[in-house]
Amino acid sequence: MVDTSLSEIISNPSCMDDYDPNSMPVAKARQFIKQFLSPVIATEVLPLRESLGRVLAADILSPANVPNYDNSAMDGYAFNSADISQSTELKVMGSAFAGKAFVDGIQSGECVRIMTGGMMPKGADTVIMQERVKVEGNLIRFTEAPKPKANVRYAGEDLQLGKIVLAAGHMMRAADLGLIASLGIGEVSVYRQLKVAFFSTGDELASIGKPLQEGQVYDSNRYTLYGMLNRLGVEIIDMGAIADDLELLEKTLLSAASQADVVITSGGVSVGEADYMKQLLAKHGQVMFWKVAMKPGRPLAYGKIQAGLQTNHDAHYFGLPGNPVAVMVTFYQFVREAMLVLMGQTNPAPLPTFNVVCTENIKKQTGRTEFQRGILFADIDGLWKVKPTGAQGSAILSSMSLANCFIVLDESVGNLDAGAIVQVQVLDGLV
Ligand code: AMP
Ligand code: MG
């Protein structure tokens, strides 16, 4: 499968043993898309904070040990573990604070009052918590035998000099900003931002600010797409809502493809549409049209668009269904992970998925994967469970607003009784 080109698949679908565009399992569609993704290669150097959500273009090596000196993990007293058996009484020779070391070393029978982060004085290898000693003048006595070498953070135990701290292909998160700052590094090399252009298609669409005529709906897909793309940290190019008009659609499609790495459209890929998008995509690119065995979100198109000779550039194309819930479901099931790959991330993790008890009955048809909208909640017995949001129609966008997860029901699953174990994909923080 890997060696087959897009144009081969499109011109001769039967060249692939088990390829049926009219009944495409979810996992297979994902796998297909994966083999054609070519990540961005251009890089830029950014100040550390601006790298949040971007993908590292080069390994970051540790220029030092972190921590770079042995220090105390507790407020207490630092001493040599050899003294544990010899003496229960130690003389306090001075203090070591974080940022203010005790410069002299200590001898047998001596200790130093030390605070968390304070540098271990020479001659000391163990810290006893202050709560485990009795202080008598400038002497301390253990109230509990300490463990040798306890409560010390050793140089290099977090990061070792010269080792890879974060590898190229890693997406920067909050902890990573701190980690890189802890090395004293202020700039990092990342892949350039992915540019994503999108537009809605449909004669019935009205944009916000204009009164609705009879038979019109406000274009909501451009808003959910904006939200989802924004969370991914890509550069967004909103091309508007375009009527089902061949010339207008062609102009918009080519303009989108010449400006962006990825073009996303919603609507116009289902059966019974005026077929303009299909015509245009056949003329300007190689695009596969599928009926995916899923609900919501049956029609889906993926491929590449040539944006004209002068640019010599192919844009990835995702044709999403028009129904508002289907747009979001197909985005999370196919586009999100593909986008992370295109942004340069190595092996992006799928949405976190686990099994929980569902507290209500579920209606489900076999033969397709359903992504019902669910609410994960902590039940009175303290266990996390899930219940469906209610009506599950593909146009009921309020179900996505209520939901904090998808309830993923495989092709083989049918109706379920309350109490059944179901798989959920967590959405909180994504939508
Ligand atoms: P389509 O896939 O174009 O046949 O659209 C399927 C359904 O989704 C129709 O009811 C459309 O009115 C609706 N729809 C399509 N695009 C949008 C949009 N951008 N915003 C809201 N609803 C839409
Ligand atoms: Mg339409």
Side-chain angles (χ1 to χ4, degrees):
M1 179 158 111
V2 181
D3 294 328
T4 315
S5 72
L6 264 172
S7 42
E8 277 175 295
I9 297 172
I10 293 158
S11 60
N12 183 18
S14 59
C15 72
M16 323 237 14
D17 285 347
D18 47 357
Y19 177 76
D20 180 359
N22 290 316
S23 173
M24 176 62 75
V26 172
K28 197 142 178 224
R30 241 184 235 133
Q31 209 184 332
F32 255 104
I33 293 170
K34 218 176 197 171
Q35 65 185 320
F36 297 111
L37 301 174
S38 40
V40 292
I41 39 180
T43 65
E44 60 184 326
V45 174
L46 289 182
L48 182 55
R49 283 183 178 172
E50 286 175 33
S51 72
L52 185 65
R54 301 288 287 272
V55 179
L56 290 177
D59 294 344
I60 295 184
L61 306 180
S62 183
N65 283 318
V66 177
N68 66 11
Y69 51 86
D70 296 350
N71 67 87
S72 176
M74 294 283 173
D75 290 345
Y77 295 86
F79 62 98
N80 194 295
S81 55
D83 281 344
I84 293 173
S85 54
Q86 288 167 14
S87 164
T88 53
E89 198 176 87
L90 299 170
K91 190 173 172 196
V92 183
M93 305 304 291
S95 302
F97 298 94
K100 200 157 159 231
F102 174 80
V103 280
D104 304 323
I106 57 166
Q107 310 291 327
S108 175
E110 297 177 348
C111 71
V112 164
R113 172 101 175 100
I114 195 162
M115 297 306 184
T116 305
M119 187 191 287
M120 290 293 285
K122 228 177 260 134
D125 65 359
T126 305
V127 170
I128 184 163
M129 277 168 78
Q130 57 190 15
E131 291 81 2
R132 306 266 153 84
V133 302
K134 240 174 133 179
V135 184
E136 288 161 10
N138 70 341
L139 293 179
I140 60 161
R141 225 183 283 277
F142 301 155
T143 55
E144 212 173 282
K147 283 200 191 93
K149 312 220 165 157
N151 302 322
V152 179
R153 302 166 179 159
Y154 290 97
E157 80 173 19
D158 190 355
L159 303 171
Q160 269 177 300
L161 170 71
K163 288 271 166 65
I164 294 179
V165 180
L166 294 174
H170 177 84
M171 180 177 282
M172 293 288 285
R173 298 174 305 150
D176 306 321
L177 294 186
L179 187 65
I180 301 309
S182 78
L183 300 172
I185 296 174
E187 289 183 329
V188 291
S189 169
V190 295
Y191 291 112
R192 75 159 168 79
Q193 233 178 346
L194 194 71
K195 290 182 199 155
V196 182
F198 60 89
F199 58 95
S200 301
T201 69
D203 280 337
E204 75 282 29
L205 302 180
S207 290
I208 296 177
K210 295 202 177 123
L212 272 191
Q213 308 297 327
E214 203 175 285
Q216 285 193 322
V217 293
Y218 281 119
D219 173 12
S220 59
N221 291 344
R222 266 163 58 237
Y223 289 82
T224 44
L225 276 172
Y226 168 85
M228 294 186 291
L229 289 167
N230 204 23
R231 297 299 284 260
L232 278 179
V234 299
E235 190 183 323
I236 292 167
I237 308 168
D238 183 347
M239 312 285 297
I242 312 299
D244 292 318
D245 172 291
L246 189 62
E247 231 169 276
L248 219 54
L249 285 170
E250 182 167 40
K251 217 175 97 198
T252 312
L253 184 71
L254 293 183
S255 165
S258 66
Q259 296 176 61
D261 302 296
V262 182
V263 177
I264 301 176
T265 61
S266 76
V269 289
S270 50
V271 184
E273 286 289 323
D275 259 1
Y276 293 140
M277 287 306 287
K278 262 192 184 162
Q279 269 182 55
L280 290 173
L281 291 162
K283 182 170 165 195
H284 296 290
Q286 287 105 39
V287 174
M288 302 180 276
F289 290 86
W290 297 324
K291 285 186 193 126
V292 184
M294 69 188 281
K295 192 188 171 215
R298 216 156 108 79
L300 184 76
Y302 168 75
K304 297 197 176 174
I305 307 168
Q306 282 86 45
L309 288 175
Q310 73 278 25
T311 56
N312 191 25
H313 148 105
D314 284 0
H316 293 271
Y317 172 74
F318 292 90
L320 308 185
N323 269 313
V325 180
V327 166
M328 297 196 79
V329 172
T330 48
F331 186 94
Y332 283 120
Q333 300 311 318
F334 304 109
V335 185
R336 175 188 166 275
E337 217 169 303
M339 213 71 94
L340 292 171
V341 171
L342 294 175
M343 289 162 75
Q345 200 179 335
T346 316
N347 297 325
L351 297 180
T353 300
F354 50 90
N355 293 333
V356 292
V357 166
C358 181
T359 56
E360 290 174 25
N361 294 343
I362 285 186
K363 272 182 77 179
K364 158 77 171 59
Q365 270 182 31
T366 53
R368 64 188 187 201
T369 306
E370 290 193 14
F371 296 89
Q372 300 201 3
R373 275 72 67 210
I375 300 168
L376 273 168
F377 67 100
D379 208 351
I380 41 170
D381 58 9
L383 296 176
W384 279 81
K385 296 180 185 168
V386 71
K387 59 181 174 201
T389 53
Q392 295 288 332
S394 302
I396 300 180
L397 194 51
S398 59
S399 70
M400 276 307 292
S401 262
L402 281 172
N404 59 9
C405 70
F406 287 129
I407 302 172
V408 186
L409 305 160
D410 284 344
E411 291 188 23
S412 60
V413 174
N415 290 338
L416 293 174
D417 292 330
I421 305 271
V422 294
Q423 203 180 47
V424 292
Q425 267 180 346
V426 180
L427 287 175
D428 240 8
L430 292 172
V431 285

